[in-house]
Amino acid sequence: MNEELEILQGAVAAVVYQNYDNGYAVLKLNCGGGITVTVVGTIPLPVVGERLMVTGKWSNHSNFGRQFEAEFLERMLPQSALEIQSYLSSRAIKGIGPVMAARIVEHFGDQTLLVLERDPEKLALVPGISLEKARTFGAEFRRQAGMRQLMEFFALHQLPTELAVRAYKLYGEQTVELLYDDPYLLMDEGLDAPFNAVDRFAISLGVAGDDPRRIEAGVLFELSYNLTGGHTFLPRAKLVAATAQLLTVEAEQVDEGIRRLHEGERLICQALADIDVVYLPHIHEAEVYTAYRLLKLAQWPHPEPENIERLLRKVEAECEVQYSEQQRSAIRSAAGSGVLIITGGPGTGKTTIVKGILSLLGHMQLRCVLAAPTGRAAKRLTEVTGEEASTIHRLLEAGIDPNTGRMIFNRDEDQPLKADAIIVDEMSMVDVQLLNSLLRAIPQNKRLILVGDPDQLPPVGPGFPFGDMLRSNMLPTVRLTDIFRQARESLIVMNAHRINAGELPELRRVDKDFFFMRRNTEEALTQLICDLCSTRLPGRMGIPADQIQVLSPTRKGPAGTVQLNKLLQKVLNPPSPGKKERQHGDFSFREGDRVMQIRNNYDILWKKTDGSAVGAGVFNGDIGSITAIDPQAETVTVVFDDREAEYDFSMLNELEPAYAMTVHKSQGSEYRAVILVAFSGSPYLLSRSVLYTAVTRARELLIVTGREDVVATMVANSKRSRRYTGLKLRLQGRGGE
């Protein structure tokens, strides 16, 4: 291999592969004279027809042979009319295909790109191009040129190239200038770049270790980072110590940085329960407002109807059920409460109560709406109640602010919800920010009914409002403890309660709905899981593979979801000549794959598969299947139940294979059959709450696979990570100043 750097020039003949996340690409470079070279490296958004000057060195790949590894890159626009036509024909500019490209180049020749950049209105002289289209093409051409330059700048400084897209959207052509002035802008909301990468970038630009900008950025990073651990605030002393250690600066310098940020209203410092604490402003506002509105709603008078007993008898007849005293009390409380909390474990009748409340409030001529935190939870709520439920985000009409790119809710104080009562299920999954947004959309004289199980895993986001509300003892609450006879006949339900009480589940008992299958090696374990999903459960028990969900506490390791998804894909959806694929990261998405949306996206357009409606928004936890992959259009089509959505290849980081998923991702969902992996993993993940949550996801069948000692470890590990939250104290009137 020649270690000396060489320079190649030529036009891109073909793009073999590109990773939109990190800018890595494999392309064919036509160097002239009939010589075509394979070039690999960080080459953001390569386009057929564009000219490149590439500096790098040769290497020999064991599978792909001789190739040129790019280290530095200079872009040159296509020069000849033929090259320009090839460039535009590759759909480098949205809306321009081969036919239109030929027309444009025929008209303007080798001046085409100059026209696009400087005088795009002239494109309207070409048949089929309106003045509006011409301006759009010009704007897109300039945007892409600026974007590529910015991506190359980011790649040079080892910043994620996909970050360049978001930065350009916010700051446009001024991005580089602004970043030289303050590199830590990359950590602002909407960009959310990793601190370590930004800090490395800042230091490369000459920012000193004790620069006030760096210290303030470190403080804000620590607070933001701890939101992912569920904390709404940090004690000031902990924040100072953590930031000083992170930045290797003196504690006094950090404390001074906190003071400056407080004076600039970029964070909130206050005393809470005699402890000095620090909040990010938007989290502080959310927590304070949540406490205020919950108490106000609870205080609003809602007299019981005089005929409440007759109405309750009518509800029992209508629902064909004889309510227990606990259930009857809960339903009755809904008539006379502004806020009502209903809590209990599996088999205690929460769903039966919700159906009864819906019936009672209907007889009182009150309009009810049902909501849940995730799409899967909302779908399940619809199935068990017979009434339409939506996600909280959809209920609040979530969208994206086109100016900032940030999420907004169209339902708020000015545009409140048109409902008399709002019932929210799976409340344990709701963080303080989402609850705050919901409360802003509920008028003062309406009812809010919150249903959940506090022993499930806490929300991914900051706070644990459901637990805080229960612990405050300040809001009307019905705690369900009775397990009904039908539920007692289920070993799934009884084992769930045993686990929650700190007792080992009955693993040796063979029952119709709960089995333990011991496997002591990773190979035997994964083989069993593949066999159960592909042949044993579908063949012997009539449970289709798409109604079986494999759950694991962890993503990593041989028994983690990453590896299990690859193994399950091989047996459930193997490659074939008729199936198209698209490699993304270390997973190859294939037509027929089961996939899951892993973040809320309010911009994705969808249409009903029957053509009856269109809409926008696919949400975290939605599960669908890939029905088509179009390499030419660079799109992947996914069907979520009865909705069909189209993803650009650049959006594949929003999807994950879903043959196996983590227990955390499964929360709020219910599956006909669950296979739970009990093997090795982090002590943090091998916990009682993880085991309890996993067991309660199964509706008809639960199979635990792995080792008994791991199950015992999980039951014994009752520790929950402590969350710094102030909602309980604020509900109790001890919120501080």
Side-chain angles (χ1 to χ4, degrees), residues 375-376 379 394 589 593-601 604-610 616-627 636-647 651-652 654-658:
R376 298 289 295 180
K379 183 184 177 187
R394 194 177 295 281
F589 288 102
D593 275 341
R594 187 197 307 177
V595 294
M596 176 172 56
Q597 176 76 14
I598 60 171
R599 61 175 64 101
N600 293 330
N601 188 322
I604 296 181
L605 299 177
W606 53 260
K607 62 181 180 182
K608 291 278 189 155
T609 50
D610 62 3
V618 182
F619 302 103
N620 185 13
D622 287 354
I623 292 178
S625 61
I626 295 176
T627 57
V636 174
T637 302
V638 183
V639 172
F640 299 95
D641 297 321
D642 60 346
R643 294 173 298 139
E644 181 181 280
E646 193 173 85
Y647 291 72
M651 298 163 59
L652 287 178
E654 299 193 8
L655 294 174
E656 279 187 357

Side-chain angles (χ1 to χ4, degrees), residues 443-501:
Q444 184 62 48
N445 62 339
K446 306 304 182 184
R447 293 168 169 82
L448 177 62
I449 299 160
L450 306 172
V451 184
D453 180 353
D455 295 313
Q456 300 282 345
L457 292 168
V460 174
F464 188 15
F466 194 58
D468 284 344
M469 285 185 278
L470 289 169
R471 287 189 293 270
S472 75
N473 294 315
M474 296 298 294
L475 300 168
T477 301
V478 177
R479 300 175 189 270
L480 304 173
T481 55
D482 297 337
I483 304 173
F484 290 88
R485 180 183 60 79
Q486 298 94 326
R488 289 198 299 271
E489 294 173 356
S490 165
L491 195 54
I492 293 174
V493 171
M494 298 312 298
N495 274 336
H497 284 277
R498 289 178 65 89
I499 291 165
N500 204 27

Side-chain angles (χ1 to χ4, degrees), residues 74 178 223 249 259 418 425 452 504 518 543 623 734:
E74 184 178 344
L178 290 170
L223 283 171
V249 297
R259 184 192 62 77
K418 296 178 180 178
D425 197 16
L504 288 173
R518 183 186 301 104
I543 303 176
I623 292 178
R734 300 189 290 142

Side-chain angles (χ1 to χ4, degrees), residues 137-198:
F137 292 158
E140 178 65 10
F141 179 75
R142 291 191 299 272
R143 187 191 70 82
Q144 288 199 17
M147 184 82 71
R148 286 194 182 90
Q149 289 173 3
L150 188 61
M151 292 178 82
E152 288 163 15
F153 175 77
F154 274 43
L156 181 65
H157 289 280
Q158 298 181 309
L159 292 168
T161 55
E162 58 89 15
L163 181 63
V165 179
R166 301 201 299 272
Y168 192 87
K169 189 173 181 180
L170 281 177
Y171 304 123
E173 296 175 0
Q174 295 180 303
T175 302
V176 174
E177 182 183 343
L178 290 170
L179 291 179
Y180 270 107
D181 185 57
D182 184 4
Y184 297 98
L185 283 176
L186 289 172
M187 293 173 56
D188 284 355
E189 187 181 355
L191 295 176
D192 306 311
F195 175 79
N196 289 340
V198 177

Side-chain angles (χ1 to χ4, degrees), residues 47-48 86-94 96 140 144 148:
V47 177
V48 172
S86 177
Y87 169 76
L88 293 177
S89 296
S90 69
R91 303 185 188 275
I93 298 174
K94 231 175 219 181
I96 300 180
E140 178 65 10
Q144 288 199 17
R148 286 194 182 90

Side-chain angles (χ1 to χ4, degrees), residues 10-15 27-30 46-52 86:
V12 178
V15 179
L27 52 85
K28 299 291 186 180
L29 193 69
N30 185 350
V47 177
V48 172
E50 70 173 329
R51 296 187 65 80
L52 302 178
S86 177

Side-chain angles (χ1 to χ4, degrees), residues 125-139:
L125 297 171
V126 178
I129 301 180
S130 66
L131 186 59
E132 184 182 353
K133 264 189 183 180
R135 288 168 176 163
T136 301
F137 292 158

Side-chain angles (χ1 to χ4, degrees), residues 26-41:
V26 180
L27 52 85
K28 299 291 186 180
L29 193 69
N30 185 350
C31 300
I35 300 172
T36 301
V37 174
T38 300
V39 179
V40 302

